[in-house]
Amino acid sequence: GLPSFQYKINEKSGIGISWKIRAMSFGQSTLNSINLFKSDKIDISEIYNLPSIDNVTGVLNSWQEFGISYGRNIYANKNHRIDGGINLKYLRGGVSGFFEFNRLSIVYDKDAHQLTSVNGDLTMIFNNELETISDEESFDIFNSSGVGLDFNFSYEYAKDNQPKHKKFIGTNYTFKASTGISDIGQIYFTPAYD
């Protein structure tokens, strides 16, 4: 794992420093295009039976996060406890891109056992870092920057006779619920122009 650090300031609050490398991807497809990928085995000789791809889109983003966190106890009594935390992040964007296939159709000659034509529209958009890597000009992918924010709250309820766990300090509750919002912010990517 990547290094992180936590420090307890007092009984009610603490700080932390973290470093993460993250990636997120998303894809969607029309129903006819999904049928193309349902089969466990696709034999090239049967490719002529496959449906055309109406639309397939995908997005990929990768980045590093350098975070400083602060958490504290907001309220506590014998049975109830509320904690909150915030994480401020400096973001370094990595590879980012988008692709879309539209109306992709494949013609396969059964007798010659070869593809005779592939037709359709392909759109690709990606950031400058990916282009410099593909051109072997640079291998530094984390050049774009931005800022981000996470925050969360948790609530714990403990019965009067809740047994204390000596081995697991801090888990002495009957019920716990938490909520939060992550990844508020943005990264400014430099687009590749060609």
Side-chain angles (χ1 to χ4, degrees):
L2 298 173
S4 63
F5 168 78
Q6 293 179 330
Y7 177 72
K8 183 177 177 180
I9 297 171
N10 55 41
E11 291 300 316
K12 289 196 166 222
S13 61
I15 59 169
I17 297 172
S18 62
W19 175 32
K20 299 176 185 175
I21 296 178
R22 296 180 56 193
M24 177 197 71
S25 62
F26 167 79
Q28 70 178 17
S29 173
T30 58
L31 182 60
N32 195 29
S33 303
I34 291 173
N35 290 332
L36 179 66
F37 303 104
K38 283 169 73 174
S39 174
D40 292 340
K41 297 176 183 176
I42 296 177
D43 187 342
I44 192 71
S45 65
E46 303 209 2
I47 203 162
Y48 62 90
N49 287 325
L50 296 174
S52 64
I53 298 176
D54 296 327
N55 179 269
V56 175
T57 54
V59 176
L60 170 69
N61 286 304
S62 62
W63 68 95
Q64 292 186 75
E65 295 180 1
F66 302 94
I68 297 175
S69 305
Y70 175 74
R72 72 168 287 116
N73 172 248
I74 299 168
Y75 173 80
N77 67 17
K78 186 177 177 183
N79 302 102
H80 306 278
R81 177 183 175 100
I82 298 173
D83 296 318
I86 188 167
N87 181 28
L88 298 172
K89 304 182 286 191
Y90 172 67
L91 308 173
R92 296 290 290 175
V95 173
S96 178
F98 165 86
F99 73 88
E100 181 175 26
F101 292 106
N102 279 311
R103 297 175 300 279
L104 185 65
S105 62
I106 298 167
V107 178
Y108 180 78
D109 186 340
K110 292 189 291 184
D111 299 325
H113 300 292
Q114 65 183 11
L115 294 175
T116 57
S117 105
V118 177
N119 294 306
D121 299 323
L122 169 64
T123 303
M124 290 181 63
I125 302 170
F126 49 88
N127 65 331
N128 191 54
E129 284 78 8
L130 187 58
E131 185 171 21
T132 58
I133 290 169
S134 66
D135 293 341
E136 297 184 0
E137 295 173 10
S138 170
F139 292 99
D140 184 9
I141 64 171
F142 295 104
N143 289 320
S144 304
S145 62
V147 292
L149 171 72
D150 305 329
F151 65 89
N152 60 62
F153 296 95
S154 68
Y155 166 76
E156 296 177 9
Y157 169 74
K159 296 178 184 176
D160 288 335
N161 59 353
Q162 180 72 24
K164 300 294 182 187
H165 299 284
K166 294 178 182 176
K167 189 174 180 182
F168 302 105
I169 297 171
T171 59
N172 299 311
Y173 53 82
T174 306
F175 171 80
K176 180 175 183 177
S178 61
T179 187
I181 297 179
S182 296
D183 297 330
I184 302 169
Q186 61 185 1
I187 300 171
Y188 299 97
F189 288 101
T190 304
Y193 297 102
D194 244 357

